[in-house]
Amino acid sequence: MAEIKVSTGGFTPELWSDKININLDSYGAYNDIVNRKYQGEIKKKGDKVYFYTYGDLTVKDYDPTAGSFTGLEYEDPQGNKQALEVNQQKYIGFLVDDIQEVQSNVDLVNGYTNRMSVAFANTKDAYIHGLATAGAGTKLHDSSAITLTKDNVWEEVCTLEEKLAEKNAITKNGLDYNGKRPALVVTPKFRSILEQSSNFFANAFGEKVLRTGQIGRIGAFDVFLSTNIKTVTSGAAKSQTIVALTSDAIMFADQITKTETLRDVKQIGDYVRSLMVYGGVVANPNCIVTSKFAVTE
């Protein structure tokens, strides 16, 4: 529940906070990919949620008659105890002529909260992409970006799937251990190359956008478009990094904790401001594979 503060008569912060929170769940390429199991357990910056990642178990020989047999050995499958810490906070603030007039108009409230949600969502999307690229267990072409064309882009998609399978990030049914399809988060440049490939149209199940950011399916992947992946420049070379991952890879939580307004003392008008707190952690690096590709004009 967002913290409520009313500084101007007629302002209903619950309305604004609730609308922003709802819209936050509708934007961003990574929104439906990351694990948000502990979403409701955060309230402010500094909050922590602890969870365990489970390690692999080993099958051992059993022969109690052997001279070398010393008894059964047991493992601790819990692995490492990890913390999801809410260590990020961002705000949006803007001026309106009259908050009561704005709030009496549903279209204006929807317009403002929608744009606030988009701005917040873009910020957290870039943050999650940074976690994924930094914490990936497998990084393809990390030292030298691959040059992709319509003739080899399908091969690269297949390699990403192969690397996830090699790390047991996906099951024999092609799903992760939460029963979801793995995701491929791409840039507009990668999408452009992909859509020129005949294999895309042979393997994508329709062109309908199923939810915000998703541009279809190809191979094992649900494909999502992100405009928050930066082009990295190194000398004369430019590159972008796409991410293949499963819902087991990243734990993430966010919340709009405050929305409030106050009167401008220097001019006629009202300030509206809203605070978002969030945090994430790579829970399983083996569930993330990245691919760095060269970008040309």
mmCIF file of all heavy atoms in Angstrom, residues 20 23-24 27 92 112-123 228:
data_model
loop_
_atom_site.group_PDB
_atom_site.id
_atom_site.type_symbol
_atom_site.label_atom_id
_atom_site.label_comp_id
_atom_site.label_asym_id
_atom_site.label_seq_id
_atom_site.Cartn_x
_atom_site.Cartn_y
_atom_site.Cartn_z
ATOM 1 N N ILE A 20 -0.803 4.222 -11.453
ATOM 2 C CA ILE A 20 0.597 4.094 -11.879
ATOM 3 C C ILE A 20 1.081 2.671 -11.662
ATOM 4 O O ILE A 20 1.726 2.074 -12.532
ATOM 5 C CB ILE A 20 1.494 5.091 -11.122
ATOM 6 C CG1 ILE A 20 1.074 6.530 -11.421
ATOM 7 C CG2 ILE A 20 2.960 4.901 -11.529
ATOM 8 C CD1 ILE A 20 1.729 7.555 -10.509
ATOM 9 N N ASN A 23 -0.426 0.363 -14.282
ATOM 10 C CA ASN A 23 0.184 0.574 -15.588
ATOM 11 C C ASN A 23 1.628 0.088 -15.636
ATOM 12 O O ASN A 23 2.113 -0.328 -16.694
ATOM 13 C CB ASN A 23 0.133 2.061 -15.972
ATOM 14 C CG ASN A 23 -1.265 2.510 -16.353
ATOM 15 O OD1 ASN A 23 -2.102 1.689 -16.722
ATOM 16 N ND2 ASN A 23 -1.522 3.794 -16.253
ATOM 17 N N LEU A 24 2.319 0.122 -14.494
ATOM 18 C CA LEU A 24 3.697 -0.374 -14.449
ATOM 19 C C LEU A 24 3.759 -1.848 -14.844
ATOM 20 O O LEU A 24 4.743 -2.310 -15.403
ATOM 21 C CB LEU A 24 4.274 -0.213 -13.041
ATOM 22 C CG LEU A 24 4.980 1.109 -12.722
ATOM 23 C CD1 LEU A 24 5.422 1.114 -11.272
ATOM 24 C CD2 LEU A 24 6.159 1.344 -13.634
ATOM 25 N N TYR A 27 3.887 -2.286 -18.961
ATOM 26 C CA TYR A 27 4.939 -1.762 -19.817
ATOM 27 C C TYR A 27 6.275 -2.413 -19.496
ATOM 28 O O TYR A 27 6.518 -2.846 -18.376
ATOM 29 C CB TYR A 27 5.062 -0.241 -19.653
ATOM 30 C CG TYR A 27 3.832 0.536 -20.053
ATOM 31 C CD1 TYR A 27 3.003 1.114 -19.103
ATOM 32 C CD2 TYR A 27 3.493 0.681 -21.398
ATOM 33 C CE1 TYR A 27 1.878 1.817 -19.471
ATOM 34 C CE2 TYR A 27 2.369 1.377 -21.778
ATOM 35 C CZ TYR A 27 1.566 1.949 -20.808
ATOM 36 O OH TYR A 27 0.440 2.638 -21.171
ATOM 37 N N ILE A 92 9.363 11.221 -10.124
ATOM 38 C CA ILE A 92 8.883 12.092 -11.197
ATOM 39 C C ILE A 92 8.149 13.241 -10.541
ATOM 40 O O ILE A 92 7.346 13.040 -9.616
ATOM 41 C CB ILE A 92 7.936 11.342 -12.145
ATOM 42 C CG1 ILE A 92 8.695 10.305 -12.963
ATOM 43 C CG2 ILE A 92 7.204 12.322 -13.077
ATOM 44 C CD1 ILE A 92 7.810 9.451 -13.848
ATOM 45 N N TYR A 112 -1.856 11.604 -17.464
ATOM 46 C CA TYR A 112 -0.687 11.855 -16.626
ATOM 47 C C TYR A 112 -0.128 10.547 -16.045
ATOM 48 O O TYR A 112 1.087 10.304 -16.083
ATOM 49 C CB TYR A 112 -1.044 12.809 -15.479
ATOM 50 C CG TYR A 112 -1.060 14.266 -15.874
ATOM 51 C CD1 TYR A 112 -2.204 15.041 -15.722
ATOM 52 C CD2 TYR A 112 0.088 14.882 -16.380
ATOM 53 C CE1 TYR A 112 -2.229 16.388 -16.077
ATOM 54 C CE2 TYR A 112 0.081 16.227 -16.732
ATOM 55 C CZ TYR A 112 -1.081 16.974 -16.584
ATOM 56 O OH TYR A 112 -1.101 18.301 -16.938
ATOM 57 N N THR A 113 -0.998 9.703 -15.479
ATOM 58 C CA THR A 113 -0.523 8.475 -14.856
ATOM 59 C C THR A 113 0.058 7.515 -15.892
ATOM 60 O O THR A 113 1.008 6.775 -15.593
ATOM 61 C CB THR A 113 -1.647 7.779 -14.070
ATOM 62 O OG1 THR A 113 -2.780 7.562 -14.930
ATOM 63 C CG2 THR A 113 -2.069 8.613 -12.878
ATOM 64 N N ASN A 114 -0.495 7.538 -17.091
ATOM 65 C CA ASN A 114 0.040 6.682 -18.150
ATOM 66 C C ASN A 114 1.466 7.087 -18.518
ATOM 67 O O ASN A 114 2.361 6.245 -18.634
ATOM 68 C CB ASN A 114 -0.850 6.753 -19.382
ATOM 69 C CG ASN A 114 -0.340 5.866 -20.510
ATOM 70 O OD1 ASN A 114 -0.372 4.655 -20.424
ATOM 71 N ND2 ASN A 114 0.140 6.494 -21.572
ATOM 72 N N ARG A 115 1.684 8.389 -18.684
ATOM 73 C CA ARG A 115 3.026 8.854 -19.051
ATOM 74 C C ARG A 115 4.019 8.646 -17.905
ATOM 75 O O ARG A 115 5.204 8.344 -18.130
ATOM 76 C CB ARG A 115 2.999 10.344 -19.438
ATOM 77 C CG ARG A 115 2.127 10.668 -20.628
ATOM 78 C CD ARG A 115 2.232 9.645 -21.741
ATOM 79 N NE ARG A 115 3.583 9.526 -22.276
ATOM 80 C CZ ARG A 115 3.990 8.560 -23.079
ATOM 81 N NH1 ARG A 115 3.151 7.603 -23.424
ATOM 82 N NH2 ARG A 115 5.230 8.531 -23.531
ATOM 83 N N MET A 116 3.558 8.774 -16.676
ATOM 84 C CA MET A 116 4.425 8.502 -15.530
ATOM 85 C C MET A 116 4.818 7.023 -15.515
ATOM 86 O O MET A 116 5.987 6.674 -15.277
ATOM 87 C CB MET A 116 3.713 8.883 -14.225
ATOM 88 C CG MET A 116 3.477 10.378 -14.062
ATOM 89 S SD MET A 116 2.337 10.777 -12.714
ATOM 90 C CE MET A 116 3.405 10.505 -11.300
ATOM 91 N N SER A 117 3.847 6.159 -15.792
ATOM 92 C CA SER A 117 4.122 4.717 -15.806
ATOM 93 C C SER A 117 5.126 4.359 -16.885
ATOM 94 O O SER A 117 6.028 3.540 -16.671
ATOM 95 C CB SER A 117 2.825 3.934 -16.017
ATOM 96 O OG SER A 117 1.922 4.157 -14.972
ATOM 97 N N VAL A 118 4.979 4.949 -18.070
ATOM 98 C CA VAL A 118 5.900 4.673 -19.169
ATOM 99 C C VAL A 118 7.317 5.089 -18.793
ATOM 100 O O VAL A 118 8.286 4.358 -19.011
ATOM 101 C CB VAL A 118 5.442 5.391 -20.459
ATOM 102 C CG1 VAL A 118 6.530 5.314 -21.521
ATOM 103 C CG2 VAL A 118 4.153 4.780 -20.983
ATOM 104 N N ALA A 119 7.449 6.275 -18.204
ATOM 105 C CA ALA A 119 8.775 6.772 -17.821
ATOM 106 C C ALA A 119 9.408 5.885 -16.750
ATOM 107 O O ALA A 119 10.595 5.528 -16.839
ATOM 108 C CB ALA A 119 8.666 8.208 -17.320
ATOM 109 N N PHE A 120 8.626 5.524 -15.732
ATOM 110 C CA PHE A 120 9.144 4.633 -14.693
ATOM 111 C C PHE A 120 9.504 3.272 -15.277
ATOM 112 O O PHE A 120 10.532 2.680 -14.939
ATOM 113 C CB PHE A 120 8.107 4.451 -13.585
ATOM 114 C CG PHE A 120 8.098 5.547 -12.552
ATOM 115 C CD1 PHE A 120 6.907 6.038 -12.035
ATOM 116 C CD2 PHE A 120 9.289 6.068 -12.058
ATOM 117 C CE1 PHE A 120 6.894 7.035 -11.071
ATOM 118 C CE2 PHE A 120 9.290 7.068 -11.086
ATOM 119 C CZ PHE A 120 8.088 7.551 -10.595
ATOM 120 N N ALA A 121 8.648 2.742 -16.153
ATOM 121 C CA ALA A 121 8.874 1.415 -16.730
ATOM 122 C C ALA A 121 10.145 1.380 -17.568
ATOM 123 O O ALA A 121 10.902 0.401 -17.535
ATOM 124 C CB ALA A 121 7.675 0.992 -17.566
ATOM 125 N N ASN A 122 10.396 2.432 -18.338
ATOM 126 C CA ASN A 122 11.617 2.494 -19.133
ATOM 127 C C ASN A 122 12.857 2.484 -18.243
ATOM 128 O O ASN A 122 13.877 1.863 -18.570
ATOM 129 C CB ASN A 122 11.620 3.749 -20.004
ATOM 130 C CG ASN A 122 10.696 3.624 -21.202
ATOM 131 O OD1 ASN A 122 10.397 2.521 -21.655
ATOM 132 N ND2 ASN A 122 10.237 4.752 -21.718
ATOM 133 N N THR A 123 12.753 3.169 -17.112
ATOM 134 C CA THR A 123 13.877 3.216 -16.174
ATOM 135 C C THR A 123 14.172 1.837 -15.592
ATOM 136 O O THR A 123 15.327 1.389 -15.550
ATOM 137 C CB THR A 123 13.573 4.205 -15.033
ATOM 138 O OG1 THR A 123 13.422 5.516 -15.580
ATOM 139 C CG2 THR A 123 14.695 4.221 -14.007
ATOM 140 N N ASN A 228 15.272 0.219 -24.631
ATOM 141 C CA ASN A 228 16.120 0.705 -23.545
ATOM 142 C C ASN A 228 17.483 0.028 -23.509
ATOM 143 O O ASN A 228 18.201 0.116 -22.519
ATOM 144 C CB ASN A 228 15.405 0.488 -22.207
ATOM 145 C CG ASN A 228 14.135 1.295 -22.107
ATOM 146 O OD1 ASN A 228 14.157 2.512 -22.155
ATOM 147 N ND2 ASN A 228 13.000 0.595 -22.000
#
